[in-house]
Amino acid sequence: MDKNIELKATVIKQRFYNGASMWGVYVFEPTQQDMRKVDLSYNGDFAVSGNCPELFVGKTYDIVIEPSEHPKYGKGYSFVAIKQKKPTSVDEQQAYLRAMLKEKQAEAIIEKYPNHLILDMMKDDTFDYSDIKGIGKPTYDKIKKYLFANLDIQEALVELSELNITFKAMKKLIDHFGDASVVIQKVRNNIYNLCEVSSFGFLKVDQYALNRGDDKENRNRIIAALKYVLDEEAMYGHSWCSVQGLTDKAKELLQIDKRLIHNAIDYVEENDDSFYISGDQIAIKKNYNFEKKSYEYLMDMLNGKVKTKVDNVDERIKQLEDASGFQYTDEQKNAIREAVNNNLLVINGKGGTGKSFTVKGILNVLSNYSYVCCALSGKAAKILEDHGLNSMTIHRMLGVEGNGQFLYKRGNPMPYDIIVLDEASMVNSQLFYSVLSAIKDGGKLIIVGDSGQLPAIGTASIFEDILKSNKLPRQELTIVQRQAQKSGILSTANEIRDGRQINERYNYENKVVGELKDFVLLPVQNKENIQSIILDICNKYKDKDLNEFQVLTGLKSRGDLSVKKLNLELQKIFNDVSKPFVKRGGYEYRTGDKIIQCGNNYDAGEKGEFSIFNGTLGMIEKIDFNKKDESKNVVWIKFDNIDELIPYSRDLLDSIELAYAITVHRSQGSTIKHILFAFDYASYMLLSRQFVYTGITRASKGCVVVCENAALHHAIKTDHSGVRRTFLYDMLMG
């Protein structure tokens, strides 16, 4: 039954309005003919809340509402739509300006253009504000954007009223496509075009389509579902899906006959170049291209002339040994020779085998050539820097621009002769392609990694495929250095990396490992005890430097050991929860809170001059509270490796989370002095030797693992290598 109520009513009071979220509460008085359509208070009025443009007291609107109950304002109504007639005459446009702008601004504009279609002039850029007092370019730009944003949203809501899209959602669509008319056209042509907008995934858009009565067997719907399934597979690292597997998943999603799905696949093979189909493999074309282009670049480098060479390599190695007092192992010496004689070298080694030491030796031998070392995370790049190497993040090396594109690419290569790509197991196909495409002709690439770690967050398994194919020059480092042998962290981690259990299955005794006594295992039988153990340990760290202590876990939001649950508990230990706070995304942020950036922010800072990348840690230094309008609160954050405080407004807070606890995946590439690593069987899908090895090796000084012992044993015997469906391995082997 349709609960929507359409009526004409006049605003008599604004109880609340937030301009940032466009959410408000208004009191209306209905016209005489519509009084029976709503339940009125004893004052003869009624309240409406929800997403809407700013409404004005005394103005009459055509509104569509539905009954609701608000926890603060009680029973009332929610906005469905506000049917404002688009102002087309001079009088209507003047009335609109007077309603939307400050009185002085509106009257100043109308005084200059008393008989003109002012909105039309603004749209055609024939409006001249230069001699209007109090209106300069910044103010004019703001006025114009505000006027047309509200007009466009209402126009689109009316045109697409059958979808029941909220005001806030429509604003997001218009912001993405740039114009209301484009949104309308996109929906009219193919509603599934909306799937390209962040937070408008297939499931949401499909609900819009089905609600308005679209055919379930519509080909546009099926094609959108195919892309959705392939994107979901890509989130788990898979570059492609089998046709049969894709068909089965799409059938379950769409609830239609398989024949229709096969017909759609046949259609896209002939008509849609956003798909790649070959034999039984089907993929999003761009994912295939990243690996195909990477393969081509690798082959060009492998077969190209080596321009970065030196003579008497062994003599140079001896000179380095004499100067430093250290002796290279035979493996390390061979790595140096291979690096000199080839444009490509892959170095793979477990923790403590001296990968960074070897890289430094290579660069010292090739000291006549320019170089840069890079890693995905800022922490990993800092480790290289601490070894005396010129290093930076991959994004900084490639010159990330404000739109997320890279400055250095094919046709505009980086100026370096040698690129060292560290922590290569973390790098997905898109980023690997971006690095390769930006290397100049004759440049050298040294790929360094640890095959025992978790694979990249994102599509493909580049480092693993390269190692498995054994087609590129390569050096394995297997000898753990003498100083590393003292570490219980490294010795335990390497046992796990090789699939060897570190305690007995039913032995729940605590265990301290290593000459340095830097690894502690706290195995438990009952997982219900783990959280209290975590809190007890954290209480001992509460007065120490939070930059040197990190809790790691498996899951982000499910279970007692999830990041979400632990952060809420740990915040009580590491901060004073009586401080004033800003609430967003289920968290209350206070000064002193440890946070992590989620996703990339390419325009950070008051002038947009900083780029803050996914996984960067920070600390909230201060909060500017606005008592009159909480949407104008500003949180100031000190991020790692950025000297200035970065302001985060309300909307930007959606891109951070508390970081007293983070997932092992988010910690990849980081090295932190003290790690508390906790997991249980709730992380079943993650449990593998790669998961445990990666978590433990984040620690440099001390690691405590508290876990369900059965989960630990299951993880160590489970090998997750080689499970991703990728293209590069077959290309290298072909």
Side-chain angles (χ1 to χ4, degrees), residues 104 284 603 647:
K104 284 185 178 180
I284 299 297
D603 300 301

Side-chain angles (χ1 to χ4, degrees), residues 395-663:
H395 289 80
R396 185 180 165 203
M397 177 187 73
L398 292 173
V400 68
E401 299 181 305
N403 57 4
Q405 301 298 309
F406 292 123
L407 172 65
Y408 295 115
K409 51 197 169 188
R410 205 64 170 175
N412 184 36
M414 294 180 286
Y416 310 103
D417 299 314
I418 304 166
I419 308 295
V420 178
L421 176 61
D422 196 26
E423 297 279 5
S425 63
M426 293 177 60
V427 180
N428 62 35
S429 59
Q430 182 174 1
L431 204 52
F432 189 69
Y433 156 79
S434 298
V435 171
L436 287 176
S437 65
I439 297 174
K440 67 181 183 180
D441 291 341
K444 189 187 297 288
L445 175 64
I446 299 168
I447 304 169
V448 185
D450 181 345
S451 60
Q453 292 198 27
L454 286 166
I457 298 174
T459 311
S461 190
I462 297 295
F463 189 63
E464 183 179 321
D465 284 354
I466 288 173
L467 291 175
K468 191 166 60 172
S469 72
N470 206 24
K471 293 291 183 178
L472 304 182
R474 166 180 171 184
Q475 180 60 55
E476 291 284 330
L477 300 181
T478 62
I479 301 170
V480 177
Q481 303 299 294
R482 186 179 306 166
Q483 63 271 27
Q485 292 174 5
K486 299 177 182 179
S487 170
I489 294 171
L490 291 175
S491 61
T492 303
N494 287 331
E495 289 280 306
I496 293 168
R497 186 181 190 272
D498 295 335
R500 292 193 289 272
Q501 298 292 345
I502 58 173
N503 73 342
E504 296 297 324
R505 168 64 181 82
Y506 297 102
N507 182 352
Y508 303 106
E509 294 182 6
N510 298 345
K511 184 178 181 180
V512 180
V513 182
E515 185 178 330
L516 301 177
K517 297 183 179 180
D518 55 352
F519 179 81
V520 179
L521 176 65
L522 306 178
V524 302
Q525 183 174 9
N526 298 317
K527 64 180 182 180
E528 290 77 14
N529 298 330
I530 295 177
Q531 189 186 101
S532 62
I533 296 172
I534 293 171
L535 300 183
D536 287 343
I537 294 171
C538 288
N539 265 302
K540 297 174 183 177
Y541 276 92
K542 66 180 180 181
D543 297 322
K544 297 182 181 179
D545 188 349
L546 274 180
N547 292 315
E548 297 182 352
F549 176 74
Q550 185 63 60
V551 176
L552 299 182
T553 187
L555 298 173
K556 184 176 178 181
S557 56
R558 182 166 52 84
D560 288 340
L561 301 186
S562 67
V563 164
K564 187 84 172 185
K565 191 72 175 282
L566 287 176
N567 271 325
L568 294 174
E569 295 300 321
L570 295 176
Q571 188 183 39
K572 300 171 188 175
I573 294 173
F574 291 115
N575 207 349
D576 177 2
V577 294
S578 67
K579 294 178 184 176
F581 59 85
V582 172
K583 191 169 184 177
R584 194 73 171 173
Y587 284 130
E588 296 175 352
Y589 295 105
R590 299 172 172 85
T591 55
D593 273 333
K594 184 177 183 180
I595 60 91
I596 189 168
Q597 174 72 28
C598 305
N600 296 322
N601 180 359
Y602 297 113
D603 300 301
E606 294 182 270
K607 299 178 181 178
E609 67 270 42
F610 297 104
S611 292
I612 300 171
F613 303 113
N614 185 31
T616 303
L617 292 167
M619 193 78 69
I620 296 176
E621 293 290 331
K622 65 175 182 174
I623 301 176
D624 292 337
F625 292 97
N626 188 306
K627 294 181 180 180
K628 292 183 179 180
D629 187 352
E630 64 179 22
S631 69
K632 295 180 180 178
N633 291 338
V634 179
V635 176
W636 294 84
I637 302 173
K638 173 64 177 69
F639 284 99
D640 289 354
N641 300 319
I642 296 179
D643 292 333
E644 294 187 24
L645 295 183
I646 306 298
Y648 268 48
S649 60
R650 178 186 176 91
D651 289 342
L652 277 177
L653 292 182
D654 289 333
S655 67
I656 66 169
E657 294 176 355
L658 288 181
Y660 299 108
I662 61 175
T663 64

Side-chain angles (χ1 to χ4, degrees), residues 373-378 381 391-398 613:
C373 299
C374 66
L376 182 60
S377 74
S391 62
M392 57 187 75
T393 63
I394 295 173
H395 289 80
R396 185 180 165 203
M397 177 187 73
L398 292 173
F613 303 113

Side-chain angles (χ1 to χ4, degrees), residues 351-415:
T353 55
K355 294 187 290 295
S356 297
F357 180 64
T358 304
V359 167
K360 193 169 183 179
I362 291 169
L363 296 173
N364 279 329
V365 168
L366 291 163
S367 59
N368 290 333
Y369 299 98
S370 63
Y371 79 90
V372 66
C373 299
C374 66
L376 182 60
S377 74
K379 290 274 190 180
K382 182 68 168 58
I383 294 167
L384 292 168
E385 188 178 290
D386 291 342
H387 281 85
L389 298 170
N390 175 35
S391 62
M392 57 187 75
T393 63
I394 295 173
H395 289 80
R396 185 180 165 203
M397 177 187 73
L398 292 173
V400 68
E401 299 181 305
N403 57 4
Q405 301 298 309
F406 292 123
L407 172 65
Y408 295 115
K409 51 197 169 188
R410 205 64 170 175
N412 184 36
M414 294 180 286

Side-chain angles (χ1 to χ4, degrees), residues 200-237:
F200 280 82
F202 171 79
L203 298 179
K204 178 185 283 189
V205 176
D206 193 47
Q207 198 60 55
Y208 287 147
L210 296 179
N211 283 346
R212 74 175 183 183
D214 285 15
D215 187 353
K216 287 178 66 175
E217 299 181 351
N218 182 301
R219 188 167 63 199
N220 288 334
R221 179 177 187 247
I222 300 171
I223 293 172
L226 296 177
K227 290 180 178 178
Y228 170 75
V229 173
L230 289 171
D231 284 339
E232 288 286 295
E233 292 288 293
M235 287 179 62
Y236 290 99

